[in-house]
Structure formats: structure tokens, C-alpha cells
């Protein structure tokens, strides 16, 4: 177990990279997909099941945990790892994005954001300093700077002002984070879809200096083409020897396209949230299990999948328990989706290490139907 936080690049293939992030709580194989455990749980999954899917790290959220059960209570109970029985690495987001998308009566100033809880209407304030304090109380291994992610559509002036505010907040986050061996602080690049603003943001973050660099401000409705357009240049603006984390992405083909452009880490609620709404991702395309055509189908979701849902259950069964709103429906579909997402990551890691990523990417796309299967 290393006492420090470090990143080792082990292979590159075109712009794609594979490597290992070492932390005191274990290693993270990159490219990595992080399941989202917003309220100290990956919904419908036991932590040991999350590990069984192949996840090395999961994500928690400052915003949700500060409101309920509060960071102070989690700290008193031994920190987030003990609290949720996940002893491997945890990355926590800093709260700014969630405040803007969830909270009510938000007020944004240079100091930070004041808002009312979407749970009980209580008043709260988040600043770079308070966000660092909360993430320290939680005990997360990778801490995110407190930033603002502008909602689209936004004109260049608004995006530039927002990015520059986030860069001032990044400096305050770094100052407040202090020197914490074994813990990492990641800066977050902003700048919308404007290359000059992305470059200005990358330079500002480099000057401050971080253990890793996230690409924020994307997957907010710009669409895959515009997102890939930014990813054609943004990862290369960030330090080559540090992890690059694309926030909030994405569908399987988004993830593959992002890794092809140099991204090392991603997180997304899609596999878990879709699992609860009856949508299963497979190598041949998407299965909407509530569709009547699955009612009598004895086959598994995916004959080539080794997850518990595909090994032991038919589409007919999954169709039945979804329609009956049985709890096992969310459990099985979430497990399958997270297993499949980790299979994609494992396939890419091996392909990059062996210099055959282009062939792997072609095979990935060849097997997929556009619509539902
Ligand atoms: C789903 N799309 C999406 N875009 C994001 C951008 C940021 C972003 O720009 N900043 C932060 N702090 N988080 C973001 C998140 C949350 C990641 N769990 C995003 N999610």
C-alpha cells in the first residue's frame, strides 16, 4: 500500500492511454469508470457487488451528503469509507454542479453559493473553503475543486466569466486543501466549447498545480459531436503525466470516444439510473426490458455476459419483475449495466496495453445496433 498518491502511465496507443493511479486505499486501473454513489450508496448495489463488477473507485457527492446525513455526522462515525463499507478509493465531487442542478433559491457571488436544500428547504452555503472542509470530513481520497459549471446555452461572455470565477475558486480550493499526503486535489477545466477559453483555463490550472485535472462543463446538453470536438484538443492541454477525468460521461460510445481522445477517468449515473428504469446496455445495443417482446424470451440479456443477471435469469423473468416493480429488478439490471461498463473499460485497458485499440474500437462499434434490440 503506497502512502502517497501517484499516477503511472503504462501504455499509449494514439491519444489513448492506460495506467495506474496508486493511493493509500488501493490502485485504480485507468482508463477507469467510476460508479456514482451519491448518498453513500451505489443505488440497488451492495458495496461488495460494486467491487465484483470490477470497480476500483466510486464517486460520492458533497452536496447530497452535506444535506443528509451531514459531513460532520459521517466524520464522527469514522468517515465515508467506514460509513458505507467501501474501503477502496472514493472521489467526491465538490458540490457546485449539484447545487446548480438540484438546489432551490440559489444565489451565486464571488464568495460562493447560498441555496436552500431540495430536501427540506433549509438554508446552506458552499464556498471553496467549505467544500474542502466537507470533503476532508468525508475522508475522500480524491477531492474536487469547487467550481461553477455554466448551464447551456450560454454565450461566450457568460462562459468566460464563469470559467474565470472557477479559476479563482480553484486557487482558493488549493489554498484551503493544504498539504494532505495520500490525498489528491483535482482541478476542473472549464471554458464551454471555446478552444481559447479552454486553453486559458488549462494554463490557470497548471499555474496553480494539481494532482489531477478534470474536464468539466461538458455532458450538459451540447451533444456528442460538440463534446468530441472539445475532446479533440482539451485533454492535450492538460499535464500529460497527471490523470485526466471527464466529468459526467456517459453512454458506452461516449466513453469509448473519450478514451480514444486521451481521457483516463469518467463517472456517470447512466448505468445505475438506467438499471432502475429497465434499460440494459449490451455489446449488441440497448434492451428496454419493459417491452412486451421480452415477456416470453428465455434468453439472457446477453449470451456473452458473465454477470449474475445474464448467468441466472431470462429476459422473461427480468421483464416480469420490472413490470411487477420488484426490488430485484433494479438489483439485477444495475449489476448487469455496471458489469458491462467495467467490461468496456477492461477491454480498452488491455487493447491499449497491447497496441490494438483501433481494432478494439472498430469491433466495439461493429457489434452494436443503433436502436433497441
Ligand atoms: C452528467 N453531465 C455532467 N457534466 C458535468 C460537469 C461537471 C462540472 O463541470 N463540474 C463538476 N464539479 N461536476 C460536474 C458533473 C458532475 C459529475 N458527477 C457533471 N455531470
Amino acid at each position: 500500500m503506497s502512502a502517497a498518491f501517484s499516477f503511472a502511465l503504462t501504455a499509449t496507443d494514439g491519444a489513448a492511454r492506460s495506467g495506474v493511479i496508486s493511493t493509500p486505499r488501493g490502485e485504480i486501473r485507468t482508463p477507469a469508470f467510476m460508479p456514482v454513489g451519491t448518498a453513500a450508496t451505489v443505488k440497488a448495489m451492495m458495496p461488495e457487488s460494486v467491487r465484483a463488477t470490477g470497480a476500483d473507485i466510486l464517486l460520492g457527492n458533497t452536496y447530497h451528503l452535506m444535506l443528509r446525513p451531514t459531513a460532520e455526522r459521517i466524520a464522527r462515525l469514522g468517515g465515508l469509507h467506514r460509513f458505507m463499507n467501501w474501503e477502496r478509493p472514493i472521489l467526491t465531487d465538490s458540490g457546485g454542479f449539484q447545487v446548480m442542478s438540484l438546489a432551490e433559491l440559489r444565489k451565486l457571488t464571488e464568495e460562493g453559493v447560498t441555496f436552500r436544500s431540495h430536501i427540506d428547504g433549509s438554508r446552506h452555503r458552499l464556498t471553496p473553503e467549505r467544500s474542502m472542509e466537507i470533503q476532508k470530513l468525508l475522508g475522500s481520497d480524491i477531492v474536487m475543486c469547487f467550481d461553477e459549471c455554466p448551464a447551456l446555452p450560454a454565450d461566450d461572455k457568460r462562459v468566460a466569466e464563469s470559467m474565470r470565477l472557477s479559476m479563482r475558486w480553484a486557487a482558493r480550493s488549493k489554498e484551503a486543501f493544504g498539504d494532505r499526503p495520500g490525498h489528491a486535489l483535482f482541478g476542473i477545466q472549464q471554458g464551454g466549447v471555446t478552444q481559447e477559453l479552454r486553453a486559458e483555463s488549462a494554463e490557470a490550472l497548471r499555474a496553480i498545480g494539481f494532482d489531477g485535472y478534470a474536464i468539466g462543463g461538458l455532458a450538459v446538453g451540447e451533444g456528442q459531436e460538440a463534446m468530441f470536438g472539445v475532446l479533440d484538443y482539451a485533454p492535450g492541454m492538460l499535464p500529460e503525466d497527471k490523470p485526466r477525468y471527464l466529468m459526467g460521461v456517459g453512454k458506452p460510445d461516449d466513453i469509448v470516444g473519450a478514451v480514444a481522445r486521451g481521457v483516463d477517468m469518467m463517472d456517470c449515473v447512466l448505468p445505475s439510473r438506467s438499471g432502475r428504469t429497465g434499460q440494459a446496455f449490451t455489446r449488441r445495443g440497448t434492451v428496454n426490458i419493459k417491452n412486451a417482446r421480452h415477456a416470453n424470451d428465455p434468453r439472457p440479456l446477453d449470451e456473452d455476459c458473465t454477470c449474475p443477471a445474464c448467468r441466472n435469469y431470462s429476459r422473461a423473468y427480468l421483464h416480469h419483475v420490472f413490470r411487477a416493480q420488484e426490488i430485484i429488478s433494479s438489483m439485477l439490471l444495475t449489476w448487469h449495466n455496471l458489469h458491462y461498463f467495467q467490461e468496456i473499460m477492461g477491454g480498452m485497458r488491455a487493447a491499449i496495453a497491447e497496441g490494438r485499440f483501433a481494432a478494439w474500437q472498430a469491433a466495439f462499434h461493429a457489434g452494436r445496433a443503433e436502436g433497441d434490440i
Side-chain angles (χ1 to χ4, degrees):
M1 285 284 215
S2 73
F5 177 94
S6 64
F7 177 53
L9 263 184
T10 50
T12 60
D13 186 347
R17 305 137 46 102
S18 64
V20 179
I21 300 172
S22 299
T23 81
R25 282 198 169 88
E27 294 190 338
I28 302 155
R29 297 161 289 175
T30 67
F33 178 81
M34 299 184 279
V36 176
T38 286
T41 159
V42 177
K43 292 178 171 49
M45 296 287 286
M46 299 273 284
E48 40 272 60
S49 308
V50 174
R51 179 60 184 161
T53 66
D56 292 334
I57 177 172
L58 60 77
L59 184 138
N61 272 312
T62 291
Y63 171 77
H64 297 77
L65 294 172
M66 71 183 280
L67 298 181
R68 182 174 57 187
T70 77
E72 285 73 12
R73 173 170 287 131
I74 291 176
R76 283 198 302 274
L77 291 160
L80 185 55
H81 295 81
R82 181 75 230 93
F83 190 55
M84 69 181 290
N85 188 33
W86 172 267
E87 292 303 335
R88 288 181 175 273
I90 295 176
L91 178 150
T92 46
D93 200 358
S94 48
F97 180 84
Q98 290 77 27
V99 166
M100 301 318 274
S101 48
L102 284 169
E104 290 139 17
L105 294 176
R106 309 177 295 267
K107 190 169 177 306
L108 175 74
T109 65
E110 181 70 29
E111 177 64 13
V113 189
T114 58
F115 59 94
R116 285 188 177 276
S117 162
H118 71 287
I119 297 168
D120 62 12
S122 53
R123 296 180 61 77
H124 296 269
R125 190 172 76 126
L126 260 182
T127 62
E129 294 77 16
R130 176 61 178 146
S131 179
M132 294 302 109
E133 181 187 31
I134 289 170
Q135 296 180 75
K136 185 173 184 177
L137 284 165
L138 296 174
S140 57
D141 306 279
I142 301 179
V143 170
M144 300 308 295
C145 278
F146 186 67
D147 65 330
E148 201 228 345
C149 172
L152 292 186
D155 60 34
D156 258 11
K157 184 172 177 302
R158 167 87 183 88
V159 171
E161 283 169 1
S162 173
M163 179 271 289
R164 288 167 189 148
L165 174 63
S166 286
M167 296 305 101
R168 294 192 295 274
W169 284 358
R172 286 170 54 190
S173 297
K174 174 82 181 282
E175 177 66 26
F177 179 79
D179 180 23
R180 301 181 63 209
H183 296 83
L185 177 66
F186 278 23
I188 305 176
Q189 185 200 42
Q190 293 292 346
V193 295
T194 307
Q195 189 160 352
E196 295 73 20
L197 294 178
R198 287 275 169 189
E200 180 184 330
S201 180
E203 282 321 302
L205 295 176
R206 278 175 178 270
I208 300 165
F210 291 99
D211 304 302
Y213 295 81
I215 297 170
L218 293 177
V220 287
E222 75 280 359
Q224 187 185 78
E225 187 182 348
M227 180 176 78
F228 281 172
V230 173
L231 295 178
D232 282 339
Y233 60 76
M237 293 174 170
L238 303 171
E240 185 255 350
D241 62 340
K242 303 288 185 200
R244 298 158 176 170
Y245 161 30
L246 174 59
M247 305 189 84
V249 173
K251 300 192 304 301
D253 52 332
D254 294 333
I255 289 171
V256 172
V259 168
R261 292 169 173 81
V263 168
D264 303 308
M265 303 164 72
M266 282 162 281
D267 84 280
C268 192
V269 296
L270 186 65
S272 37
R273 182 175 293 170
S274 299
R276 300 193 300 280
T277 63
Q279 187 174 49
F281 293 90
T282 79
R283 72 205 74 225
R284 292 180 189 80
T286 306
V287 175
N288 270 309
I289 201 63
K290 59 182 172 294
N291 191 304
R293 68 165 172 268
H294 303 301
N296 300 300
D297 193 335
R299 296 173 306 159
L301 286 173
D302 177 349
E303 272 95 348
D304 300 322
C305 179
T306 59
C307 85
C310 292
R311 278 202 318 269
N312 305 315
Y313 301 91
S314 65
R315 290 181 183 208
Y317 177 79
L318 295 171
H319 173 79
H320 159 64
V321 290
F322 180 83
R323 288 278 185 142
Q325 297 184 334
E326 287 294 338
I327 292 167
I328 195 170
S329 175
S330 293
M331 293 165 67
L332 291 173
L333 288 180
T334 302
W335 192 321
H336 167 79
N337 283 344
L338 289 176
H339 175 99
Y340 175 56
F341 272 54
Q342 293 301 340
E343 259 202 358
I344 293 172
M345 305 318 292
M348 290 196 286
R349 291 192 295 262
I352 294 164
E354 295 159 22
R356 55 181 176 78
F357 182 71
W360 184 93
Q361 191 172 12
F364 169 84
H365 286 292
R368 303 179 74 73
E370 271 311 303
D372 286 354
I373 60 172

